[in-house]
Amino acid sequence: MKGLIAKKVGMTQVFDENGNLTPVTVISVEPNTVVATKNKENCGYDAVVLGVDDLKAGKVSKPYAGQFSENITPKRHLKEFRDFDVEVSVGDQLGVELFESSRYLDVTATSKGKGFQGVMKRWGFHGGRATHGSKFHREPGGTGECTTPGHSFKNTKLPGHMGFARVTVQNLKVVKVDPELKVIMVRGSVPGNKDCTLIVKTAVKK
């Protein structure tokens, strides 16, 4: 498995070889620095810790700065990738070239927060009649049983907080990898708002 920390730029559309219009998401990848490596002898598993976005020395606590080597500037974002396919050492820089041979990717991010929403928007309920005299428009309806069991079951779909959750979109096809612009274009949309931090990995199911 290979992975990088990236940033969502936005969506656009491109034409493929056959002239078909393809909606794509542009993902910007700044050089990821290898902060640390882990192996089975020391930690019980193999992993690589990557970091991006330098921090000023005055804004880093000593415990946080202690995990970085002397030649590595403390990073704002850190991510551990287990079973990394590429041989790397501490201090190496990784970029979009890592995915030049990949056809499908999995992208993880925090989805957009939508606040407190009702069942029609949150779960796609049909709702009641919108006609005159109807008193059942956008409500969830009855959720509990009668005397037995006399309460609503767990995981019943109800109004509540929507969005702002960790979401992974799998099997996004790689349309283009541009090392000069440091961007990856994948077919379709990815979770999160503009400029949010993404975790991009090679597809697990492909």
Side-chain angles (χ1 to χ4, degrees), residues 36-49 80:
T37 58
K38 300 182 179 181
N39 51 48
K40 293 182 179 179
E41 290 74 18
N42 298 331
C43 303
Y45 61 93
D46 295 323
V48 172
V49 180
E80 180 180 287

Side-chain angles (χ1 to χ4, degrees), residues 8-107:
K8 179 179 178 180
V9 176
M11 291 197 70
T12 183
Q13 49 193 12
V14 296
F15 289 94
D16 59 10
E17 299 82 3
N18 300 323
N20 299 319
L21 196 64
T22 304
V24 296
T25 300
V26 182
I27 300 174
S28 174
V29 181
E30 293 299 324
N32 283 221
T33 304
V34 179
V35 175
T37 58
K38 300 182 179 181
N39 51 48
K40 293 182 179 179
E41 290 74 18
N42 298 331
C43 303
Y45 61 93
D46 295 323
V48 172
V49 180
L50 301 180
V52 294
D53 198 358
D54 294 345
L55 286 172
K56 293 182 179 179
K59 294 189 176 183
V60 181
S61 63
K62 286 186 178 181
Y64 188 80
Q67 59 186 322
F68 300 95
S69 303
E70 293 182 358
N71 59 336
I72 297 178
T73 306
K75 307 296 180 183
R76 185 184 305 276
H77 302 291
L78 297 176
K79 174 63 179 176
E80 180 180 287
F81 296 92
R82 294 199 179 192
D83 300 324
F84 211 69
D85 292 341
V86 182
E87 289 290 335
V88 294
S89 57
V90 176
D92 289 351
Q93 300 278 339
L94 302 177
V96 293
E97 299 83 4
L98 197 68
F99 295 123
E100 283 186 333
S101 61
S102 301
R103 295 183 58 203
Y104 293 91
L105 300 175
D106 293 344
V107 179

Side-chain angles (χ1 to χ4, degrees), residues 6-14 22-29 99 102-108 169-178 183-191 198-203:
K7 182 181 292 186
K8 179 179 178 180
V9 176
M11 291 197 70
T12 183
Q13 49 193 12
V14 296
T22 304
V24 296
T25 300
V26 182
I27 300 174
S28 174
V29 181
F99 295 123
S102 301
R103 295 183 58 203
Y104 293 91
L105 300 175
D106 293 344
V107 179
T108 303
V169 178
Q170 296 182 319
N171 303 332
L172 292 170
K173 186 175 181 180
V174 177
V175 176
K176 185 178 181 180
V177 176
D178 194 331
V183 298
I184 305 171
M185 294 184 184
V186 295
R187 189 178 191 277
S189 61
V190 302
L198 307 175
I199 305 299
V200 183
K201 298 183 291 186
T202 51

Side-chain angles (χ1 to χ4, degrees), residues 8 11 109-115 161-167 190-196:
K8 179 179 178 180
M11 291 197 70
T110 301
S111 61
K112 293 181 180 179
K114 303 183 186 300
H161 186 231
M162 181 180 179
F164 202 69
R166 184 180 174 88
V167 179
V190 302
N193 52 7
K194 186 178 180 180
D195 293 332
C196 72

